Amino acid sequence: MNEPDLAALFGAAGVTGWLHATDLRSGREIGLGSDVPLPTASMFKVPLMVEFCRQADAGLLDPASRVTVGAADRVTGPTGLCAMLDDVTISLRDLGHLMITLSDNTAADVLLARVGREEINAMLDGFGLRETRVRQSCRDIYESMAEDAGHSWPYLDPEDIARLRVLDPPRANSATPRETAALFGLIWRDQAASAESCAWMRNVLNLQVWPHRLASGFPYDDVEVSGKTGTLPTLRNEAGVVEYPDGGQYAVAVFTRSLSTALNQPRADAVIGTAARMAVDHLRR
């Protein structure tokens, strides 16, 4: 498999794609546009989770401490606390669980306010992940889209898309495929935080509910797929780790941009899994 094969695969699905995959045991890699800075959408919640765990490890916050999330805290989104009507009292740790497993935007923003963007970016710098930046909260994302387009998502046309700051890497939450895969590698190697915290992060990432992207490429009972999706207009991403029963572990990050502004694009979702499987199969050979 080579870059033209991957590019043709993405093109047949109506998207432009970027990918990086790493064998976490041997260090072998394969990629397409591995070092291109791209908007991450909800995948920014992964570095947020890492910094949350590091602060808990350092005693800077208590993950079991409780906060009450009310109407003023609620952010646009279809899942979790975003969809609730009443106040919810919940621990910081369970906010982290919801923001990963359900991609709960409200949970993410409450946690982000506690952890801090500058702290996340300083942590990323410490790991040498200098193209990975957290600049926007979920509220910022939705408010900026409404400002830029003059109306709310999902009703956007191509002219609206061209104005969206959330799709412009220097102004948005962003990363490269290589750095995204590297961050997952740090979690799987117990290097992102304490061994206990990394084990918790791996478990939460394994419980993500969305099966239609990365996991769709590995429909086997004995293969574990853990990950985090990201979605914005024309943008579909997912990154995670694929684990085989022989002990093989592969960090994979796939980013896509579609020509169409349609919300439902099953081919664009499915190609993420197909491309990831092609990359992992190549590394396993």
Side-chain angles (χ1 to χ4, degrees):
M1 185 186 72
N2 52 36
E3 289 190 7
D5 294 332
L6 284 170
L9 179 70
F10 285 123
V15 303
T16 301
W18 301 262
L19 175 150
H20 192 80
T22 302
D23 183 334
L24 296 181
R25 291 192 300 182
S26 71
R28 291 182 62 222
E29 300 176 308
I30 186 170
L32 173 67
S34 295
D35 298 310
V36 177
L38 299 161
T40 53
S42 279
M43 291 198 308
F44 89 88
K45 295 166 186 172
V46 177
L48 167 55
M49 174 179 62
V50 171
E51 178 58 18
F52 164 71
C53 286
R54 290 173 64 85
Q55 290 186 18
D57 290 340
L60 299 176
L61 56 81
D62 177 3
S65 65
R66 293 179 169 273
V67 296
T68 297
V69 181
D73 303 304
R74 202 163 290 127
V75 180
T76 300
T79 60
L81 301 178
C82 301
M84 302 300 176
L85 298 179
D86 301 314
D87 292 357
V88 175
T89 299
I90 187 171
S91 71
L92 295 178
R93 179 165 40 216
D94 285 344
L95 287 173
H97 186 284
L98 289 176
M99 80 168 178
I100 297 297
T101 59
L102 300 181
S103 203
D104 184 329
N105 292 335
T106 296
D109 274 13
V110 173
L111 206 59
L112 179 61
R114 181 66 64 94
V115 169
R117 296 177 220 191
E118 292 184 4
E119 289 76 5
I120 297 170
N121 291 326
M123 173 271 295
L124 292 164
D125 284 341
F127 285 126
L129 305 178
R130 300 185 182 279
E131 294 293 341
T132 305
R133 297 291 94 174
V134 174
R135 299 182 177 95
Q136 297 176 301
S137 67
C138 295
R139 189 181 300 277
D140 293 336
I141 288 170
Y142 281 95
E143 288 182 350
S144 74
M145 284 197 293
E147 291 171 4
D148 294 343
H151 54 87
S152 63
W153 185 38
Y155 306 106
L156 299 172
D157 61 32
E159 291 185 0
D160 295 329
I161 297 297
R163 295 194 295 269
L164 298 186
R165 282 168 280 173
V166 296
L167 301 180
D168 182 23
R171 296 186 291 173
N173 296 332
S174 61
T176 66
R178 187 190 304 275
E179 289 194 0
T180 303
L183 184 59
F184 275 88
L186 291 169
I187 296 170
W188 254 254
R189 295 188 184 103
D190 288 344
Q191 295 172 335
S194 69
E196 180 182 4
S197 288
C198 286
W200 178 80
M201 287 190 279
R202 290 192 295 269
N203 179 65
V204 171
L205 289 159
N206 185 248
L207 295 174
Q208 182 189 225
V209 301
W210 316 119
H212 61 308
R213 291 183 182 166
L214 192 60
S216 69
F218 305 89
Y220 317 114
D221 290 342
D222 59 352
V223 176
E224 293 278 352
V225 180
S226 306
K228 180 71 196 76
T229 61
T231 308
L232 282 172
T234 71
L235 185 155
R236 287 162 175 78
N237 302 334
E238 186 163 1
V241 173
V242 180
E243 300 180 84
Y244 279 75
D246 62 6
Q249 297 178 330
Y250 308 88
V252 187
V254 185
F255 293 68
T256 72
R257 286 287 301 271
S258 65
L259 298 175
S260 170
T261 61
L263 284 177
N264 295 314
Q265 297 189 50
R267 288 194 308 156
D269 290 323
V271 77
I272 292 174
T274 304
R277 189 186 69 246
M278 286 178 62
V280 169
D281 285 349
H282 175 83
L283 293 175
R284 285 179 66 78
R285 287 198 297 270

